[in-house]
Amino acid sequence: MQADHERWLTFTMDDTTYCLPVDTVREVTLWNRPEPVPDAPPQAWGVINLRGDIVTVLDGRSLLGLPQKEPDDDTRVLTIEVEQEVIGFVVDAVHEIVLLDPAKVEAPVTPQAFMKGTCYHKNDLLVLLTLEDVHEQLGR
């Protein structure tokens, strides 16, 4: 691994490839329908019990303004640590870990929620996400 490169986990929603920093992702699990929580924001599908930990599951599509899609056999839940809290982030499919040069990341022209920037990897455009402000977006 080149010293200046960072590891990112790639996943898709619709026809777009997104990625999150590997060091924020605890694990990737199969889709398991969460238990609904009364009065939760619409992006929160509910909670799951992950080896004794109660994890809030957020709909990645809803957070990014994408149309709804029923979960299928490729759907995965990324367990992510955000601000010392563990959340589940539902995505359509998980692909691979890639090495990206931070110097090649282009910041968005206008700030967008959860978007750190874009970067090309092997001729594919990747949208780099950060979920650091997820609590603010959910009104917590």
Side-chain angles (χ1 to χ4, degrees):
M1 181 169 118
Q2 295 175 339
D4 57 341
H5 284 53
E6 298 173 350
R7 294 167 20 122
W8 292 76
L9 177 68
T10 63
F11 56 91
T12 51
M13 288 189 280
D14 279 346
D15 295 326
T16 303
T17 302
Y18 297 92
C19 53
L20 282 166
V22 166
D23 62 353
T24 65
V25 180
R26 280 191 171 180
E27 64 184 296
V28 177
T29 59
L30 297 172
W31 167 250
N32 186 9
R33 188 163 302 281
E35 291 295 321
V37 175
D39 299 322
Q43 302 92 334
W45 278 2
V47 295
I48 57 173
N49 183 336
L50 192 62
R51 285 181 289 292
D53 291 328
I54 302 303
V55 177
T56 301
V57 177
L58 303 177
D59 176 19
R61 290 176 151 273
S62 179
L63 285 172
L64 297 175
L66 300 171
Q68 292 297 306
K69 175 186 169 215
E70 278 299 308
D72 59 26
D73 291 342
D74 292 328
T75 302
R76 297 291 182 266
V77 179
L78 306 179
T79 307
I80 301 166
E81 190 164 339
V82 179
E83 297 176 7
Q84 300 178 356
E85 180 182 353
V86 177
I87 63 167
F89 185 72
V90 179
V91 301
D92 292 353
V94 171
H95 298 284
E96 65 181 331
I97 294 174
V98 297
L99 294 175
L100 300 177
D101 181 352
K104 294 187 178 179
V105 175
E106 294 183 31
V109 176
T110 56
Q112 297 179 26
F114 310 119
M115 187 174 168
K116 178 175 183 163
T118 57
C119 182
Y120 279 94
H121 177 74
K122 296 182 182 176
N123 296 322
D124 292 326
L125 179 65
L126 305 179
V127 178
L128 285 65
L129 300 179
T130 177
L131 296 179
E132 292 171 1
D133 59 349
V134 70
H135 295 300
E136 180 180 312
Q137 295 295 321
L138 293 173
R140 285 177 148 181

